[in-house]
Amino acid sequence: EVQLLESGGGLVQPGGSLRLSCAASGFTFSSYAMSWVRQAPGKGLEWVSTISGSGGSTYYADSVKGRFTISRDSSKNTLYLQMNSLRAEDTAVYYCAKSTGYCSSTSCYEHYFAYWGQGTLVTVSS
Amino acid sequence: DIQMTQSPSTLSASVGDRVTITCRASQSISTWLAWYQQKPGKAPNLLIYKASSLESGVPSRFSGSGSGTDFTLTISSLQPDDFATYYCQQYNSYSWTFGQGTKVEIK
């Protein structure tokens, strides 16, 4: 059974940093692209970032490019999201999601999400 | 980026009703479209992929259709468990985008 468990959320001041983690189990972690998707309070879903199975290719939404870094550790079956220079508009529930497909150096294919974690809340406020 | 526009934003319906939600892409995405259901406080749940393929375990009252820029999600007979918010997502090209959501409410 595929399981994704996020952690690391919390309250942080504007300009601060936070690192989210997602522990994965139930599948061959290194074979699948992994993503972060967020949802601001009362709002819709926003794709944030994706990393290929090998970790060699990464993709970011324009809204977080240059501030967030996605990474993965296949020895620990764990996905990460390092979030720097946080803004009030980054306040959201952050979901870890497993892609059905794969990523090349230029894009990802079959890139929809059959498995999601329960989410972790990040609040950016002074 | 490809913009995804859903309509309506809110839909009021009764148990047993046939419900249709529309999703329009700002450019052609072939059939690279997924639909999700989300209930309050929960993660999204995949219903449909490749515009019309039903995800394993999803009731057959859910169906999807369309190609190019226009897509629909249909619930043939609305059940109490179906009151939720529904999102479409295009995966034709980076960056991958969602519609703004359609909330299905009890009439």
Side-chain angles (χ1 to χ4, degrees):
Chain A
E1 179 192 5
V2 172
Q3 292 193 342
L4 301 171
L5 184 62
E6 302 96 336
S7 61
L11 175 63
V12 61
Q13 293 188 337
S17 298
L18 209 57
R19 188 177 84 156
L20 306 183
S21 300
C22 171
S25 61
F27 63 101
T28 304
F29 184 67
S30 59
S31 294
Y32 293 92
M34 296 292 296
S35 297
W36 291 97
V37 177
R38 70 184 180 183
Q39 186 169 37
K43 302 298 184 182
L45 301 168
E46 179 188 15
W47 168 78
V48 172
S49 184
T50 292
I51 187 167
S52 63
S54 67
S57 297
T58 57
Y59 305 85
Y60 298 94
D62 287 345
S63 58
V64 306
K65 201 172 292 182
R67 301 187 298 123
F68 290 11
T69 302
I70 192 171
S71 62
R72 63 193 299 161
D73 184 337
S74 290
S75 69
K76 296 181 178 178
N77 284 0
T78 301
L79 174 73
Y80 302 100
L81 185 68
Q82 177 67 43
M83 304 185 296
N84 298 332
S85 302
L86 282 162
R87 306 166 180 168
E89 54 264 35
D90 295 319
T91 294
V93 173
Y94 284 73
Y95 294 102
C96 164
K98 172 184 173 289
S99 176
T100 299
Y102 67 97
C103 297
S104 69
S105 59
T106 55
S107 191
C108 299
Y109 304 91
E110 302 291 342
H111 198 49
Y112 57 92
F113 311 109
Y115 297 96
W116 300 67
Q118 85 291 347
T120 187
L121 176 62
V122 173
T123 303
V124 184
S125 175
S126 55
Chain B
D1 293 0
I2 298 174
Q3 307 303 316
M4 306 300 293
T5 304
Q6 289 182 231
S7 60
S9 296
T10 306
L11 185 159
S12 296
S14 302
V15 173
D17 284 353
R18 181 181 181 88
V19 167
T20 298
I21 298 168
T22 297
C23 179
R24 176 164 289 174
S26 61
Q27 65 189 73
S28 177
I29 59 169
S30 183
T31 55
W32 304 120
L33 185 97
W35 288 98
Y36 302 86
Q37 176 194 68
Q38 187 181 33
K39 296 180 180 179
K42 301 294 186 181
N45 180 48
L46 177 68
L47 300 174
I48 301 283
Y49 61 95
K50 207 171 182 185
S52 61
S53 296
L54 193 67
E55 173 69 356
S56 177
V58 174
S60 59
R61 62 181 180 273
F62 291 94
S63 64
S65 65
S67 66
T69 60
D70 294 319
F71 302 86
T72 58
L73 173 70
T74 299
I75 310 171
S76 60
S77 178
L78 197 66
Q79 299 301 300
D81 192 48
D82 301 337
F83 291 96
T85 300
Y86 295 84
Y87 294 93
C88 61
Q89 178 227 334
Q90 68 82 15
Y91 54 99
N92 178 75
S93 61
Y94 165 77
S95 79
W96 303 279
T97 45
F98 292 86
Q100 82 279 14
T102 295
K103 185 176 183 179
V104 177
E105 297 182 328
I106 300 173
K107 191 172 184 178

